[in-house]
Amino acid sequence: MTERRYDLDWLRIGAFGLLIFYHVGMFYVTWDWHVKSSHASALIEPIMQLSSPWRLVLLFLISGVATRFMANKISTWQLTKARMGRLWPPLLLAMFVIVPPQSYYEVVEALSAMHAPQSPWLDDFYVKYVTSSGHWCDADGCLMTPTYNHMWFVAYLILYSLALLPLIPLLRRLPAALAALIRGPGLIIAPWLFLYAARVFLMPLFGETHDFRNDWYLHVTYFVTFLFGFAIAKHATFFETCMRWRWAALAIMGAAWAALMTYYAAWPGDSIPPEWQRIIFRGVREMQAWTAIVAAIGFAHRHLRGHDGPVRRMLTAAVFPFYLIHQTIIVVAGHYLNELHLPVTLEASLLILITFAGCWLFYDLGRRIPFLRIWIGLPSRAKTARAAMAPPRPDPAPSGG
């Protein structure tokens, strides 16, 4: 009988799929991004806020769960080699091949806005990108290169996977202690209090930079979430409780989102609300985030545990290569589509179509060429065959369920 959690596979697929649509949306909202459509407005920003607070927290939680299942099959040294071998090649490919076009078009649009001459790609930009000598600066700061852009998630996952190693024996014995903490309403209250405290005390000090050297608010939030996922991976009661609370969590999430949208509408643009309101609504934001995660896990556990098949297997393999390439396709295609001055519905539809077609082509070519597989986040065929034959290692910790 397989240990694989199909419900979490589907959640991971869904979260990354939402991320692709979210980044398409970033082309059309007023928030700062690499390139912007001339149609950009605040129209879809409330929809973007439906997933913005929780999507990455869920992905780090699922990553922690997946790491636990890997740790049960292989030794700590093998786990380290597997994680680093799976994550480092795509990160390097991204920084030096995939991400440079994003930085290029960001510079092109910034120079165009300033009516300044543009840098040639082959003769000028790439050399400056690789050697960090571009000095591309504006009033908001300088573009630092080489950079990982959207692949910060992978960079952080590398750091967290390494930091996890000495904690594995402790985390395997935590479910019994966690059981009391997250029993009943504690499932909602305890994690929410942690997220709320981090948002109130750390976010104002450090912000969200995605620069691993000083991103301490996100490091605390995401690393603890990653560890929590590792600890509860075998704790069946957690997933069953999420299933029981799914409808209540969904209702709370919807109410919190509506309250946040009302709050944001009351303080538009650069207006600054009183500090007490900011503190309260940071808590509302984190309540939306955690209850959305509980609802997502609960509904997936209820309806997707037994849903396996070729579609699930294909999407599970494809989702990381899609993530790897999608933002570059959006940036490049968006830049050129915007120059055509198409109606926004046609432009957005074409951008979504081009993005998913390009992602599929990238994945399909990469999986067929053996040398490229590890560079797009896929295991080699030999490793896949060996993993399928490896027996699971015994887990010394009680399941708590």
Side-chain angles (χ1 to χ4, degrees):
M1 182 176 178
T2 181
E3 270 193 321
R4 191 164 191 103
R5 291 290 304 275
Y6 302 134
D7 52 335
L8 297 181
D9 277 343
W10 284 113
L11 272 181
R12 178 173 173 267
I13 291 164
F16 275 116
L18 277 176
L19 182 64
I20 293 175
F21 282 106
Y22 185 86
H23 284 154
V24 171
M26 287 297 293
F27 186 56
Y28 291 102
V29 294
T30 60
W31 309 331
D32 185 47
W33 204 55
H34 309 286
V35 295
K36 302 302 294 185
S37 171
S38 58
H39 300 292
S41 73
L43 182 64
I44 64 169
E45 288 175 7
I47 299 174
M48 300 277 281
Q49 291 284 3
L50 272 172
S51 68
S52 179
W54 58 268
R55 190 186 55 254
L56 271 302
V57 179
L58 175 62
L59 282 173
F60 277 109
L61 190 150
I62 293 172
S63 296
V65 173
T67 304
R68 174 65 174 274
F69 278 92
M70 290 179 64
N72 287 349
K73 294 182 178 180
I74 55 181
S75 69
T76 301
W77 172 240
Q78 290 172 323
L79 174 66
T80 306
K81 289 196 301 181
R83 293 300 269 176
M84 298 304 104
R86 187 77 177 268
L87 297 174
W88 268 111
L91 181 61
L92 293 173
L93 179 70
M95 290 181 65
F96 294 103
V97 178
I98 292 174
V99 166
Q102 298 180 32
S103 298
Y104 173 71
Y105 285 101
E106 183 174 351
V107 171
V108 165
E109 293 208 355
L111 291 172
S112 177
M114 295 185 294
H115 306 288
Q118 296 183 5
S119 303
W121 168 256
L122 293 175
D123 297 335
D124 189 23
F125 181 85
Y126 189 73
V127 172
K128 291 183 177 180
Y129 173 91
V130 172
T131 58
S132 191
S133 58
H135 306 296
W136 297 297
C137 302
D138 58 21
D140 297 323
C142 297
L143 178 64
M144 305 301 294
T145 61
T147 182
Y148 40 60
N149 277 8
H150 67 292
M151 290 289 285
W152 67 267
F153 173 80
V154 174
Y156 284 21
L157 198 53
I158 289 171
L159 295 176
Y160 300 164
S161 297
L162 292 173
L164 164 74
L165 299 176
L167 302 175
I168 287 177
L170 171 65
L171 293 171
R172 278 179 163 154
R173 289 164 173 80
L174 270 184
L178 284 174
L181 188 63
I182 58 176
R183 182 181 295 119
L187 175 75
I188 304 294
I189 296 171
W192 168 71
L193 284 175
F194 162 73
L195 293 171
Y196 188 13
R199 190 81 180 176
V200 169
F201 296 110
L202 297 179
M203 196 275 288
L205 294 176
F206 301 105
E208 300 182 19
T209 68
H210 296 158
D211 179 347
F212 72 92
R213 296 167 297 183
N214 56 20
D215 205 10
W216 295 110
Y217 161 60
L218 289 186
H219 282 324
V220 169
T221 300
Y222 292 151
F223 184 49
V224 172
T225 300
F226 178 76
L227 296 181
F228 180 75
F230 188 96
I232 55 88
K234 295 285 189 173
H235 184 49
T237 303
F238 169 76
F239 298 96
E240 292 164 0
T241 306
C242 286
M243 184 174 67
R244 288 195 298 271
W245 279 79
R246 66 191 187 278
W247 285 108
L250 183 64
I252 296 170
M253 185 276 290
W257 171 78
L260 272 178
M261 295 307 100
T262 303
Y263 168 70
Y264 292 152
W267 298 96
D270 296 328
S271 56
I272 301 176
E275 182 64 18
W276 66 269
Q277 288 191 23
R278 297 168 71 184
I279 291 174
I280 289 174
F281 279 92
R282 284 171 187 156
V284 174
R285 180 191 186 276
E286 298 314 312
M287 180 59 73
Q288 180 199 343
W290 181 244
T291 51
I293 290 169
V294 170
I297 292 173
F299 280 104
H301 195 70
R302 173 66 177 83
H303 298 289
L304 298 174
R305 274 180 293 173
H307 282 252
D308 189 25
V311 173
R312 198 276 313 165
R313 291 191 289 272
M314 183 271 292
L315 290 176
T316 298
V319 68
F320 188 74
F322 272 47
Y323 165 70
L324 181 60
I325 195 65
H326 80 278
Q327 185 162 293
T328 295
I329 298 173
I330 294 169
V331 167
V332 176
H335 173 81
Y336 286 110
L337 283 171
N338 190 57
E339 292 184 342
L340 299 178
H341 304 291
L342 300 171
V344 63
T345 52
L346 177 59
E347 179 187 274
S349 298
L350 286 173
L351 183 56
I352 293 170
L353 178 63
I354 291 168
T355 299
F356 279 94
C359 288
W360 175 260
L361 181 62
F362 177 82
Y363 161 70
D364 197 45
L365 289 176
R367 72 188 176 103
R368 295 175 187 276
I369 302 173
F371 170 75
L372 292 180
R373 288 181 64 88
I374 65 167
W375 292 99
I376 68 167
L378 296 176
S380 67
R381 290 192 172 93
K383 286 184 178 179
T384 302
R386 288 197 298 270
M389 298 179 64
R393 292 163 57 87
D395 186 351
S399 70

